[in-house]
Amino acid sequence: MGKPAFPAGFLWGTSTSAHQVEGGNENNDWSEWEKQPGRIRDGTTSAEACRWWNGSAEEDLATAASLCQNAHRLSVEWSRLEPEPGRWDDAAFARYLRLLAEMRRLGIRAMVTLHHVTLPRWVAARGGWLARDIVSLFARYAEECIRRLGGSVDHWVTINEPASVAGAAYVSRYWPPALGSVRAGLRALGAMLEAHAAAYGAMKRVHPAASVGIVLSTPRFEPARTGSRMDTLICAAQDWVFIGSLLRALRTGTLLPPLAGPARPPGLRRSLDFLGANYYGQYAVRFDPLLHERLFGRHVQEPTVRAGECDWGQISPEGLTRQLVRLSAMEVPLYVTENGIHDAADAIRPAFLTDHVAAVHEAIRRGADVRGYFHWSLLDNFEWAEGWQPRFGLIEVDPVTQKRTLRPSAHLYARICGSNGATASGRERASQGSP
Ligand code: FCB
């Protein structure tokens, strides 16, 4: 199997999020939304999801442990923990504590996200990320979570993919509240950075040694036509709004245009103990004067890696290496917090998985301090506006019977995890004669 290829203590895991796997979430901004005709592409709803709230989480994580995974990234559902303003639900906290205790028993480290797409209904009614008091509400929630769950969590993520939420929910009408306003999107994005900073401060006051970070979506943007000045310009603009301006804000503490909000949100500068990167692929960006809500850039990649209309980009392991090397400038440990592909037949996933793990290895070789890789996802789940059609799981789930079936990639990933990446490192692959 060869010598371990990754640093000692590397985290090998998978990611999920509460609304996508728990089932029975009836008190957040997706509960009504997903039941409205036309909102979810295949007409499904999260419904029972993967029944994680009712006990299946423990079974699925036992499977993950048996597949040599030593970490899992999950999220907690704000609407369960604080169903009404200022009222904490002890039973919901107890449910998460039981799950976290079981993870510890299984030898699975926990990375816990506080906000992964959904907001409690009552927060949404106040305006969601545009609500006047959203920053203090989020910080109060973060503080309560670390007080009650802190002893069982290894790493905390404040917010998952702020730019995706701002884009899908506020700029376009893909996710609730579907505002369709660029201005609202930029304000929501600024508010999420402010809220991250406030939560970071509040959490560190309770547990100064806690490891707290944020997760950004970090696709690679490339001009569609080499030599086109407009493609190059628009590509740089998309990268700046989606990634560059956020990195800059987190490093310097200053919100630069077009991010909207206070110029220097309190506590933002260096409010990171680590940075999480979600990476699915690369966008080929082509200037399109009619696409103003996409900053005049159309993504024109070949549709070979896409199912339906979802836009996760072109497969490019190289792009992951380059993004991780770029993120090293943040001078904090890095984690790949999501990376995966929807592929029900598991035809593309094996090579995708091996190539992306090798790409992480290459980034480490080039000096990036990457401490873990979390594949999206452990099991098929409710894929937001796309419903159940895209299948991202290492484990196949039938949402009706709840039957689990391991895809070949689950075993392949077990070999990668069990060998600390040796089976996927560039060196091993080269010696086996793989491309
Ligand atoms: C990411 C989301 C995650 C899942 C994957 C496919 O952007 O964070 O919840 O939807 O895409």
Side-chain angles (χ1 to χ4, degrees), residues 20 28 41 49 116 163 180 189 191 208 239 286 330-331 336 358 366 377 422:
Q20 294 178 275
N28 67 32
R41 182 177 304 279
H116 196 122
L189 189 50
D239 183 86
R286 186 186 175 111
M330 298 299 286
E331 296 180 331
V336 177
R366 292 196 210 163
S377 180

Side-chain angles (χ1 to χ4, degrees), residues 309-386:
E309 295 291 303
C310 34
D311 188 10
W312 277 285
Q314 258 169 323
I315 297 178
S316 172
E318 229 278 271
L320 176 57
T321 305
R322 289 170 68 172
Q323 290 300 56
L324 289 170
V325 170
R326 168 191 186 186
L327 297 177
S328 315
M330 298 299 286
E331 296 180 331
V332 290
L334 304 173
Y335 292 88
V336 177
T337 35
E338 288 180 30
N339 170 242
I341 186 164
H342 51 97
D343 176 18
D346 210 40
I348 311 171
R349 189 178 288 104
F352 180 98
L353 182 54
T354 320
D355 291 347
H356 282 79
V357 170
V360 176
H361 186 255
E362 176 60 16
I364 296 173
R365 202 189 61 77
R366 292 196 210 163
D369 181 10
V370 189
R371 308 267 179 102
Y373 171 88
F374 295 77
H375 192 78
W376 184 276
S377 180
L378 174 60
L379 71 178
D380 292 342
N381 55 52
F382 177 69
E383 184 45 50
W384 307 117
E386 303 297 326

Side-chain angles (χ1 to χ4, degrees), residues 158-243:
T158 53
I159 298 179
N160 178 70
E161 297 195 12
S164 307
V165 171
Y170 294 82
V171 176
S172 71
R173 295 190 168 87
Y174 191 49
W175 290 356
L179 290 190
S181 153
V182 173
R183 265 189 70 190
L186 293 169
R187 267 184 53 209
L189 189 50
M192 282 185 257
L193 288 170
E194 258 189 274
H196 158 78
Y200 180 89
M203 294 170 87
K204 298 294 272 196
R205 279 190 289 281
V206 177
H207 272 298
S211 166
V212 183
I214 195 168
V215 163
L216 304 183
S217 169
T218 60
R220 192 159 168 85
F221 296 91
E222 285 288 324
R225 295 165 294 187
T226 37
S228 158
R229 281 183 50 204
M230 283 317 282
D231 287 5
T232 308
L233 196 73
I234 295 302
C235 185
Q238 289 198 348
D239 183 86
W240 171 254
V241 176
F242 210 72
I243 307 174

Side-chain angles (χ1 to χ4, degrees), residues 393-410:
L394 295 175
I395 303 173
E396 181 187 332
V397 175
D398 180 328
V400 178
T401 63
Q402 290 288 321
K403 184 170 181 298
R404 271 64 167 157
T405 311
L406 269 56
R407 294 198 166 97
S409 288

